[in-house]
Amino acid sequence: MWEVSRPLPKLDASVAAFRQAGVSVTGVATSVIEYNPTFIAELRQCLLRQARATVIVTSVFAVPALAQAWTNSLSHPPILAVGDATAAKIKSLLPEAHVFTPEQHTSEGILAMHQLNEANCKDIVIIKGEGGRDTLQNTLRLQGKQVYPFCVYKRVALAQPFYTNNWQIDDVSGIIATSENMAMQLIASHSDQMMTLPWVTVSERIANTLRKRGIEKVAVCKQATDQALIAWIKDNWEY
């Protein structure tokens, strides 16, 4: 059995996807998502002022904030979504939006997209979570872009992790962690035995953080969707 970590709003859907694919998992949530209505209102005003800005959405949890801030008066600016799940959620809430995704589902992948190198790409709105990386805004500002970042949500740690079923650490064969924040919370809330298990995560940055914490068996799946992680497990782990 594998342990998959997701924020609470996404946990049940992820666990169902793994189980439907025949991969035995237990789900664990260490945090919930809390939105900031003030910043969402400020985002709406920014989108109205910068109607031609390119919009970057860095996670699926940022999408509801974009939908709240969106107005039909916008001139359908290009929206760069960090991954397929984020893009799909944008299209479901904003069918008229023009959405693009990078080949590599990371900040570095977004920076490599040709849309950011167009001559008319001067203003960029970044919709993100509190405590996220600053790589995008720092790099784009060094390139001479005008960047407007909005931290529209934050992850709030649960007093106790939430599990989808009862389990023992001896039942777990490996850990699936899709963010550095959740990985650190898992390590903090579990026994040292978790340090000896194999882990799979979704970027070299997170993998390197885990290695620095003493976890030796760390692999990387290049995408964070349930489907990509399921395919990786079937190709690389006995399930």
Side-chain angles (χ1 to χ4, degrees):
M1 180 178 69
W2 313 105
E3 184 175 283
V4 57
S5 64
R6 293 288 197 187
L8 191 57
K10 200 174 182 179
L11 187 63
D12 286 345
S14 288
V15 168
F18 277 86
R19 290 176 177 171
Q20 187 173 2
V23 180
S24 177
V25 296
T26 183
V28 55
T30 58
S31 61
V32 294
I33 303 300
E34 184 178 288
Y35 288 92
N36 188 314
T38 300
F39 290 162
I40 294 174
E42 291 177 0
L43 169 63
R44 180 181 179 87
Q45 293 303 312
C46 182
L47 290 173
L48 288 170
R49 292 193 306 270
Q50 309 294 334
R52 296 186 179 276
T54 299
V55 177
I56 298 175
V57 185
T58 65
S59 82
V60 69
F61 301 112
V63 179
L66 171 63
Q68 287 185 51
W70 192 263
T71 171
N72 290 332
S73 64
L74 295 177
S75 57
H76 302 304
I79 300 175
L80 311 185
V82 71
D84 293 336
T86 302
K89 192 167 185 67
I90 293 171
K91 291 174 182 177
S92 70
L93 296 178
L94 301 170
E96 73 278 15
H98 300 153
V99 186
F100 307 89
T101 55
E103 291 185 10
Q104 182 183 4
H105 295 176
T106 63
S107 296
E108 290 75 14
I110 289 177
L111 289 169
M113 296 179 73
H114 72 84
Q115 285 86 355
L116 293 177
N117 296 314
E118 301 291 342
N120 61 349
C121 180
K122 298 178 181 179
D123 299 307
I124 300 172
V125 174
I126 301 176
I127 309 175
K128 56 186 289 189
E130 184 179 298
R133 299 173 68 199
D134 293 329
T135 301
L136 280 173
Q137 62 198 61
N138 291 342
T139 303
L140 292 168
R141 282 171 174 159
L142 286 173
Q143 295 174 357
K145 311 288 189 184
Q146 184 67 50
V147 183
Y148 306 89
F150 290 90
C151 297
V152 295
Y153 72 90
K154 63 180 178 180
R155 288 181 170 89
V156 179
L158 295 168
Q160 295 292 331
F162 174 83
Y163 301 100
T164 55
N165 55 282
N166 294 324
W167 63 284
Q168 300 292 326
I169 191 67
D170 290 339
D171 300 329
V172 177
S173 301
I175 311 294
I176 305 159
T178 55
S179 83
E180 183 175 327
N181 179 275
M182 286 186 290
M184 294 302 101
Q185 289 175 333
L186 281 175
I187 292 171
S189 61
H190 289 74
S191 70
D192 292 340
Q193 190 174 350
M194 184 171 285
M195 308 291 284
T196 65
L197 291 171
W199 290 58
V200 62
T201 187
V202 294
S203 76
E204 284 295 340
R205 175 182 59 84
I206 301 173
N208 287 334
T209 298
L210 291 172
R211 293 180 186 116
K212 289 176 182 177
R213 291 296 299 266
I215 298 173
E216 296 181 358
K217 302 174 184 177
V218 186
V220 176
C221 174
K222 293 298 185 181
Q223 298 183 21
T225 63
D226 294 328
Q227 292 71 26
L229 288 163
I230 289 166
W232 190 96
I233 289 170
K234 288 186 172 183
D235 288 342
N236 295 278
W237 284 350
E238 294 182 9
Y239 70 97

